[in-house]
Coordinates of all heavy atoms in Angstrom, one line a residue:
K1 N 0.3 26.3 3.3 CA 0.3 27.8 3.1 C 1.7 28.3 3.5 O 2.3 27.8 4.4 CB -0.7 28.5 4.0 CG -2.1 28.4 3.6 CD -3.0 29.2 4.5 CE -4.4 28.8 4.3 NZ -5.3 29.6 5.2
T2 N 2.1 29.3 2.8 CA 3.3 30.1 3.2 C 2.8 31.4 3.7 O 1.9 32.1 3.2 CB 4.1 30.3 1.9 OG1 4.5 29.1 1.3 CG2 5.4 31.1 2.2
V3 N 3.4 31.8 4.8 CA 3.1 33.1 5.4 C 4.4 34.0 5.3 O 5.5 33.5 5.6 CB 2.7 33.0 6.9 CG1 2.5 34.3 7.5 CG2 1.5 32.1 7.0
R4 N 4.2 35.3 4.9 CA 5.3 36.2 4.8 C 5.0 37.4 5.6 O 3.8 37.9 5.6 CB 5.4 36.6 3.3 CG 6.6 37.5 3.0 CD 6.7 37.7 1.5 NE 6.0 38.9 1.2 CZ 5.2 39.0 0.1 NH1 5.0 38.0 -0.7 NH2 4.5 40.1 -0.2
L5 N 6.0 37.9 6.4 CA 5.8 39.1 7.2 C 7.0 40.0 6.9 O 8.1 39.6 6.9 CB 5.9 38.7 8.7 CG 5.9 39.8 9.7 CD1 4.5 40.6 9.6 CD2 6.1 39.3 11.1
E6 N 6.7 41.3 6.5 CA 7.7 42.2 6.2 C 7.3 43.5 6.9 O 6.2 43.9 7.1 CB 7.7 42.5 4.7 CG 8.0 41.4 3.8 CD 7.9 41.7 2.3 OE1 7.9 42.9 1.9 OE2 7.9 40.7 1.5
A7 N 8.4 44.2 7.3 CA 8.2 45.5 8.0 C 9.2 46.5 7.4 O 10.4 46.2 7.2 CB 8.3 45.4 9.5
T8 N 8.7 47.7 7.1 CA 9.7 48.8 6.6 C 9.3 50.1 7.3 O 8.2 50.3 7.8 CB 9.5 49.0 5.1 OG1 8.1 49.4 4.8 CG2 9.8 47.8 4.3
A9 N 10.3 50.9 7.4 CA 10.2 52.2 8.0 C 10.8 53.2 7.1 O 12.0 53.1 6.7 CB 10.8 52.2 9.4
E10 N 10.1 54.3 6.9 CA 10.7 55.4 6.1 C 10.1 56.7 6.7 O 8.9 56.9 6.8 CB 10.2 55.3 4.6 CG 10.9 56.3 3.8 CD 10.6 56.1 2.3 OE1 10.6 55.0 1.9 OE2 10.3 57.1 1.6
G11 N 11.0 57.5 7.2 CA 10.6 58.7 7.9 C 9.8 58.3 9.1 O 10.3 57.5 9.9
N12 N 8.6 58.9 9.2 CA 7.8 58.6 10.4 C 6.7 57.5 10.0 O 5.7 57.4 10.8 CB 7.2 59.8 11.0 CG 6.2 60.5 10.1 OD1 6.1 60.2 8.9 ND2 5.4 61.4 10.7
L13 N 6.8 56.9 8.9 CA 5.8 55.9 8.5 C 6.4 54.4 8.6 O 7.5 54.2 8.1 CB 5.4 56.1 7.0 CG 4.5 55.1 6.4 CD1 3.1 55.2 7.1 CD2 4.3 55.3 4.9
V14 N 5.6 53.6 9.3 CA 6.0 52.2 9.4 C 4.9 51.4 8.7 O 3.7 51.6 8.9 CB 6.1 51.8 10.9 CG1 6.3 50.2 11.0 CG2 7.2 52.5 11.6
Q15 N 5.3 50.5 7.8 CA 4.4 49.6 7.1 C 4.7 48.2 7.5 O 5.9 47.8 7.5 CB 4.5 49.8 5.6 CG 4.1 51.1 5.1 CD 4.2 51.3 3.6 OE1 5.1 50.8 3.0 NE2 3.2 51.9 3.1
I16 N 3.7 47.4 7.8 CA 3.8 46.0 8.1 C 2.9 45.2 7.1 O 1.7 45.5 7.1 CB 3.4 45.7 9.6 CG1 4.2 46.5 10.5 CG2 3.4 44.2 9.8 CD1 3.7 46.5 11.9
L17 N 3.5 44.3 6.4 CA 2.8 43.5 5.4 C 2.7 42.1 6.0 O 3.7 41.5 6.3 CB 3.5 43.5 4.1 CG 2.8 42.6 3.0 CD1 1.6 43.3 2.4 CD2 3.8 42.2 1.9
I18 N 1.5 41.5 6.0 CA 1.3 40.1 6.4 C 0.6 39.5 5.2 O -0.5 39.9 4.8 CB 0.4 40.0 7.7 CG1 1.1 40.7 8.8 CG2 0.2 38.5 8.0 CD1 0.2 41.7 9.5
A19 N 1.2 38.5 4.6 CA 0.7 37.8 3.4 C 0.7 36.3 3.6 O 1.5 35.8 4.3 CB 1.5 38.2 2.2
H20 N -0.2 35.6 2.8 CA -0.2 34.2 2.8 C -0.5 33.7 1.4 O -1.0 34.5 0.6 CB -1.1 33.6 3.8 CG -2.6 33.9 3.6 ND1 -3.3 33.2 2.6 CD2 -3.4 34.8 4.1 CE1 -4.5 33.6 2.6 NE2 -4.7 34.6 3.5
S21 N -0.2 32.5 1.2 CA -0.4 31.9 -0.2 C -1.7 31.1 -0.3 O -2.0 30.5 -1.3 CB 0.7 30.9 -0.5 OG 0.8 29.9 0.4
G22 N -2.6 31.2 0.7 CA -3.9 30.5 0.7 C -4.9 31.3 -0.2 O -4.6 32.1 -1.0
P23 N -6.2 31.0 0.0 CA -7.2 31.6 -0.7 C -7.3 33.1 -0.4 O -7.0 33.6 0.7 CB -8.5 30.9 -0.3 CG -8.2 30.1 0.9 CD -6.7 30.0 1.0
G24 N -7.7 33.9 -1.4 CA -7.8 35.4 -1.2 C -9.1 35.7 -0.5 O -9.9 34.9 -0.2
F25 N -9.3 37.0 -0.3 CA -10.5 37.6 0.2 C -11.7 37.6 -0.8 O -11.4 37.9 -2.0 CB -10.3 39.0 0.7 CG -9.4 39.2 1.8 CD1 -8.1 39.6 1.6 CD2 -9.8 38.9 3.1 CE1 -7.2 39.7 2.7 CE2 -8.9 39.0 4.2 CZ -7.6 39.4 4.0
L26 N -12.9 37.2 -0.4 CA -14.0 37.3 -1.2 C -14.3 38.8 -1.6 O -14.5 39.1 -2.7 CB -15.2 36.7 -0.6 CG -16.5 36.5 -1.4 CD1 -16.1 35.6 -2.7 CD2 -17.5 35.8 -0.6
Y27 N -14.2 39.7 -0.6 CA -14.4 41.1 -0.8 C -13.3 41.9 -0.1 O -13.4 42.3 1.0 CB -15.7 41.5 -0.1 CG -16.9 40.8 -0.6 CD1 -17.5 39.8 0.2 CD2 -17.5 41.0 -1.9 CE1 -18.7 39.1 -0.2 CE2 -18.6 40.2 -2.3 CZ -19.1 39.3 -1.4 OH -20.3 38.6 -1.9
P28 N -12.1 42.1 -0.8 CA -11.0 42.7 -0.1 C -11.3 44.1 0.4 O -10.8 44.5 1.5 CB -10.0 42.8 -1.3 CG -10.3 41.9 -2.3 CD -11.9 41.7 -2.2
D29 N -12.2 44.9 -0.2 CA -12.5 46.2 0.2 C -13.4 46.2 1.5 O -13.6 47.2 2.1 CB -13.3 47.0 -0.9 CG -14.5 46.3 -1.4 OD1 -14.5 45.1 -1.4 OD2 -15.4 47.0 -1.8
R30 N -13.9 45.0 1.9 CA -14.7 44.9 3.1 C -14.1 44.0 4.1 O -14.7 43.5 5.0 CB -16.1 44.3 2.7 CG -16.9 45.3 1.8 CD -18.3 44.9 1.6 NE -19.0 44.8 2.9 CZ -20.0 44.0 3.0 NH1 -20.4 43.2 2.1 NH2 -20.6 43.9 4.2
A31 N -12.8 43.7 3.9 CA -12.1 42.7 4.8 C -12.1 43.1 6.3 O -12.0 42.3 7.2 CB -10.6 42.5 4.3
F32 N -12.2 44.5 6.5 CA -12.2 44.9 7.9 C -13.6 45.2 8.5 O -13.7 45.7 9.6 CB -11.3 46.2 8.0 CG -9.9 45.9 7.5 CD1 -9.5 46.1 6.3 CD2 -9.0 45.3 8.4 CE1 -8.2 45.8 5.8 CE2 -7.7 45.0 8.0 CZ -7.3 45.2 6.7
D33 N -14.6 44.9 7.7 CA -16.0 45.0 8.3 C -16.2 43.7 9.1 O -15.8 42.6 8.8 CB -17.0 45.0 7.1 CG -17.0 46.2 6.3 OD1 -16.3 47.2 6.6 OD2 -17.7 46.2 5.3
P34 N -16.9 43.9 10.3 CA -17.1 42.7 11.2 C -18.1 41.7 10.5 O -19.0 42.1 9.8 CB -17.7 43.3 12.4 CG -18.3 44.6 12.0 CD -17.4 45.1 10.9
F35 N -17.7 40.4 10.6 CA -18.5 39.3 10.2 C -18.8 39.3 8.7 O -19.9 38.8 8.3 CB -19.8 39.2 11.0 CG -19.5 39.1 12.5 CD1 -19.9 40.1 13.3 CD2 -18.9 38.0 13.0 CE1 -19.6 40.1 14.6 CE2 -18.6 37.9 14.4 CZ -19.0 39.0 15.2
V36 N -18.0 39.8 7.8 CA -18.1 39.7 6.4 C -17.6 38.4 5.9 O -16.5 38.0 6.4 CB -17.5 40.9 5.7 CG1 -17.4 40.7 4.2 CG2 -18.2 42.2 6.0
P37 N -18.2 37.7 4.9 CA -17.6 36.5 4.4 C -16.2 36.7 3.9 O -16.0 37.6 3.0 CB -18.6 36.1 3.3 CG -19.9 36.7 3.6 CD -19.5 38.0 4.3
A38 N -15.3 36.0 4.4 CA -13.9 36.2 4.1 C -13.5 35.4 2.8 O -12.6 35.9 2.0 CB -13.0 35.7 5.2
Q39 N -14.1 34.3 2.6 CA -13.8 33.5 1.5 C -15.1 32.9 0.9 O -16.2 32.9 1.5 CB -12.9 32.3 1.9 CG -11.6 32.8 2.5 CD -10.8 31.7 3.2 OE1 -11.3 30.6 3.2 NE2 -9.7 32.0 3.7
A40 N -15.0 32.3 -0.3 CA -16.2 31.7 -1.0 C -16.8 30.6 -0.1 O -17.9 30.2 -0.4 CB -15.8 31.2 -2.3
T41 N -16.0 30.0 0.8 CA -16.5 28.9 1.6 C -17.6 29.4 2.6 O -18.3 28.6 3.2 CB -15.4 28.3 2.5 OG1 -14.8 29.3 3.3 CG2 -14.3 27.7 1.5
G42 N -17.8 30.7 2.7 CA -18.8 31.2 3.6 C -18.3 31.5 5.0 O -19.0 32.1 5.9
E43 N -17.0 31.2 5.3 CA -16.4 31.5 6.6 C -16.4 33.0 6.7 O -16.1 33.7 5.8 CB -15.1 30.9 6.7 CG -15.1 29.4 6.8 CD -13.6 28.9 6.8 OE1 -12.8 29.6 7.4 OE2 -13.4 27.8 6.4
T44 N -16.6 33.5 7.9 CA -16.5 35.0 8.1 C -15.2 35.3 8.8 O -14.5 34.5 9.4 CB -17.7 35.5 9.0 OG1 -17.6 34.9 10.3 CG2 -19.0 35.2 8.4
S45 N -14.8 36.6 8.7 CA -13.6 37.1 9.2 C -13.7 37.4 10.7 O -12.7 37.7 11.4 CB -13.1 38.3 8.4 OG -14.0 39.3 8.6
G46 N -14.9 37.3 11.3 CA -15.0 37.6 12.7 C -14.8 39.1 13.0 O -15.0 40.0 12.2
L47 N -14.3 39.3 14.2 CA -14.0 40.7 14.6 C -12.6 41.1 14.7 O -12.2 42.3 14.8 CB -14.6 40.9 16.1 CG -16.1 40.9 16.2 CD1 -16.5 41.0 17.6 CD2 -16.7 42.1 15.5
G48 N -11.7 40.2 14.5 CA -10.2 40.5 14.7 C -9.7 41.6 13.8 O -9.1 42.5 14.2
L49 N -10.0 41.4 12.4 CA -9.5 42.4 11.5 C -10.2 43.8 11.7 O -9.6 44.8 11.6 CB -9.7 42.0 10.0 CG -8.8 40.8 9.6 CD1 -9.2 40.4 8.2 CD2 -7.4 41.2 9.7
S50 N -11.5 43.7 12.1 CA -12.2 45.0 12.3 C -11.6 45.7 13.5 O -11.5 46.9 13.5 CB -13.7 44.6 12.6 OG -14.4 45.8 12.9
L51 N -11.3 45.0 14.6 CA -10.7 45.6 15.8 C -9.4 46.2 15.4 O -9.0 47.3 15.9 CB -10.6 44.6 16.9 CG -12.0 44.2 17.6 CD1 -11.8 43.1 18.5 CD2 -12.6 45.4 18.3
C52 N -8.6 45.5 14.7 CA -7.3 45.9 14.3 C -7.3 47.2 13.5 O -6.6 48.2 13.8 CB -6.6 44.8 13.4 SG -5.0 45.3 12.9
A53 N -8.3 47.3 12.6 CA -8.4 48.5 11.8 C -8.9 49.7 12.6 O -8.5 50.8 12.5 CB -9.4 48.3 10.6
S54 N -9.8 49.4 13.6 CA -10.3 50.5 14.5 C -9.1 51.0 15.3 O -9.0 52.2 15.5 CB -11.4 49.9 15.4 OG -12.5 49.6 14.7
I55 N -8.3 50.1 15.9 CA -7.2 50.6 16.7 C -6.2 51.4 15.9 O -5.8 52.5 16.3 CB -6.4 49.4 17.3 CG1 -7.4 48.7 18.4 CG2 -5.1 49.8 18.0 CD1 -6.9 47.4 18.8
L56 N -5.9 51.0 14.6 CA -5.0 51.8 13.8 C -5.6 53.2 13.5 O -4.9 54.2 13.5 CB -4.8 51.0 12.5 CG -3.8 49.9 12.6 CD1 -3.9 49.0 11.3 CD2 -2.4 50.4 12.8
R57 N -6.9 53.2 13.1 CA -7.6 54.5 12.9 C -7.5 55.4 14.1 O -7.3 56.6 13.9 CB -9.0 54.3 12.4 CG -9.2 54.0 11.0 CD -10.7 54.1 10.6 NE -11.5 53.2 11.4 CZ -11.8 52.0 11.1 NH1 -11.3 51.4 10.1 NH2 -12.7 51.3 11.9
D58 N -7.7 54.9 15.3 CA -7.6 55.7 16.5 C -6.2 56.3 16.7 O -6.1 57.2 17.5 CB -8.0 54.8 17.7 CG -9.5 54.5 17.7 OD1 -10.3 55.1 16.9 OD2 -9.9 53.7 18.5
H59 N -5.2 55.7 16.1 CA -3.9 56.1 16.3 C -3.2 56.6 14.9 O -2.0 56.5 14.7 CB -3.0 55.0 16.9 CG -3.4 54.6 18.2 ND1 -3.1 55.3 19.3 CD2 -4.3 53.6 18.6 CE1 -3.6 54.8 20.4 NE2 -4.4 53.8 20.0
N60 N -4.1 57.2 14.1 CA -3.7 57.8 12.8 C -3.0 56.8 11.9 O -2.2 57.2 11.1 CB -2.8 59.1 13.1 CG -3.5 60.1 13.8 OD1 -4.7 60.4 13.6 ND2 -2.8 60.7 14.8
G61 N -3.4 55.6 11.9 CA -2.9 54.6 11.0 C -4.1 54.1 10.1 O -5.2 54.6 10.1
R62 N -3.7 53.2 9.3 CA -4.8 52.6 8.4 C -4.4 51.2 8.1 O -3.2 50.7 8.2 CB -5.0 53.4 7.2 CG -3.9 53.4 6.2 CD -4.2 54.3 5.0 NE -3.4 54.0 3.9 CZ -3.7 53.7 2.7 NH1 -5.0 53.8 2.4 NH2 -2.8 53.4 1.8
A63 N -5.4 50.4 7.6 CA -5.2 49.0 7.2 C -5.9 48.8 5.9 O -7.0 49.4 5.6 CB -5.9 48.1 8.3
S64 N -5.3 48.0 5.0 CA -5.9 47.6 3.8 C -5.6 46.2 3.5 O -4.7 45.6 4.0 CB -5.3 48.5 2.7 OG -3.9 48.4 2.6
A65 N -6.4 45.6 2.6 CA -6.4 44.2 2.2 C -6.4 44.1 0.7 O -7.1 44.9 0.0 CB -7.6 43.5 2.8
V66 N -5.6 43.2 0.2 CA -5.5 42.9 -1.3 C -5.4 41.4 -1.5 O -4.9 40.7 -0.7 CB -4.3 43.6 -1.9 CG1 -4.5 45.1 -1.8 CG2 -3.0 43.2 -1.4
N67 N -5.9 41.0 -2.7 CA -5.6 39.6 -3.1 C -4.4 39.7 -4.0 O -4.1 40.6 -4.7 CB -6.9 39.1 -3.9 CG -8.0 38.8 -3.1 OD1 -7.8 38.4 -1.9 ND2 -9.2 38.9 -3.6
L68 N -3.6 38.6 -3.9 CA -2.4 38.4 -4.6 C -2.6 37.5 -5.8 O -3.4 36.6 -5.7 CB -1.2 37.9 -3.7 CG -1.0 38.7 -2.4 CD1 0.0 38.0 -1.6 CD2 -0.5 40.1 -2.8
E69 N -1.9 37.7 -6.8 CA -2.0 36.9 -8.0 C -0.8 35.9 -8.1 O 0.4 36.4 -7.8 CB -2.0 37.7 -9.3 CG -3.3 38.6 -9.4 CD -4.5 37.7 -9.5 OE1 -4.5 36.6 -10.0 OE2 -5.6 38.2 -9.1
P70 N -0.9 34.7 -8.4 CA -2.1 34.0 -8.8 C -3.0 33.5 -7.7 O -4.1 33.2 -7.8 CB -1.6 32.8 -9.6 CG -0.3 32.5 -9.0 CD 0.3 33.8 -8.6
R71 N -2.4 33.6 -6.4 CA -3.2 33.1 -5.3 C -2.6 33.7 -4.0 O -1.4 34.0 -3.9 CB -2.9 31.6 -5.2 CG -3.7 30.9 -4.1 CD -3.6 29.4 -4.3 NE -4.1 28.7 -3.2 CZ -5.4 28.4 -3.0 NH1 -6.3 28.8 -3.8 NH2 -5.8 27.7 -1.9
G72 N -3.4 33.9 -3.0 CA -3.0 34.5 -1.8 C -3.6 35.8 -1.5 O -4.4 36.4 -2.2
A73 N -3.3 36.3 -0.3 CA -3.9 37.6 0.1 C -2.9 38.3 1.1 O -2.0 37.6 1.6 CB -5.2 37.3 0.9
A74 N -3.1 39.6 1.2 CA -2.2 40.3 2.1 C -2.9 41.4 2.8 O -3.9 42.0 2.3 CB -1.1 40.9 1.3
I75 N -2.5 41.7 4.0 CA -2.9 42.9 4.8 C -1.8 43.8 5.0 O -0.7 43.4 5.3 CB -3.4 42.4 6.2 CG1 -4.5 41.3 6.2 CG2 -3.7 43.5 7.1 CD1 -5.9 41.9 5.8
L76 N -2.0 45.1 4.8 CA -1.0 46.1 4.9 C -1.4 47.0 6.1 O -2.5 47.6 6.0 CB -0.8 46.9 3.7 CG 0.2 48.1 3.8 CD1 1.6 47.5 4.0 CD2 0.2 48.9 2.5
L77 N -0.6 47.1 7.1 CA -0.9 48.0 8.2 C 0.1 49.2 8.2 O 1.3 49.0 8.0 CB -0.7 47.2 9.6 CG -1.4 45.9 9.7 CD1 -0.9 45.2 11.0 CD2 -2.9 46.0 9.6
E78 N -0.4 50.4 8.3 CA 0.4 51.6 8.2 C 0.2 52.4 9.5 O -0.9 52.7 9.9 CB 0.0 52.4 7.0 CG 0.3 51.7 5.7 CD 0.0 52.6 4.5 OE1 -1.1 53.2 4.5 OE2 0.8 52.6 3.5
L79 N 1.4 52.7 10.1 CA 1.4 53.5 11.3 C 2.2 54.7 11.2 O 3.3 54.7 10.6 CB 2.0 52.6 12.5 CG 1.3 51.3 12.7 CD1 2.3 50.3 13.2 CD2 0.2 51.4 13.6
Q80 N 1.7 55.9 11.6 CA 2.5 57.1 11.6 C 3.2 57.3 13.0 O 2.6 57.2 14.0 CB 1.5 58.3 11.4 CG 0.8 58.3 10.1 CD 1.8 58.6 8.9 OE1 2.7 59.4 9.1 NE2 1.4 58.1 7.8
G81 N 4.5 57.6 12.9 CA 5.2 57.9 14.1 C 4.9 59.3 14.6 O 4.3 60.1 13.9
A82 N 5.3 59.6 15.8 CA 5.1 60.9 16.4 C 6.0 61.9 15.9 O 7.1 61.7 15.4 CB 5.3 60.8 17.9

């Protein structure tokens, strides 16, 4: 697997992208729900992504997940500055 980490800042918005070249999410729109199957293998994502999304929401941020083509997945974390 290849892992890529990028961070950008524009105005008061910081975006952090974490991507990998492995298998994508089975349900990208539910990647931050606790214990949702992460991949077709039946493995679950546990609580880590869910806790991350909750912390971001509590601080006016947000998290999203996407599958990359032809293979891979990415998490985008967005934080608003003060």
Side-chain angles (χ1 to χ4, degrees):
K1 285 185 194 178
T2 301
V3 176
R4 185 175 90 223
L5 176 63
E6 297 175 15
T8 59
E10 186 173 318
N12 68 344
L13 177 67
V14 174
Q15 293 182 321
I16 300 168
L17 177 80
I18 302 126
H20 67 78
S21 61
F25 293 103
L26 189 57
Y27 306 107
D29 56 329
R30 296 187 58 209
F32 299 96
D33 293 352
F35 304 113
V36 169
Q39 302 168 356
T41 60
E43 295 178 26
T44 63
S45 62
L47 288 174
L49 290 178
S50 178
L51 289 171
C52 180
S54 293
I55 291 167
L56 284 168
R57 277 192 305 270
D58 289 348
H59 295 280
N60 298 320
R62 69 182 197 129
S64 55
V66 295
N67 286 330
L68 304 174
E69 294 297 330
R71 184 170 170 82
I75 299 287
L76 178 63
L77 310 174
E78 296 181 315
L79 306 150
Q80 297 287 332

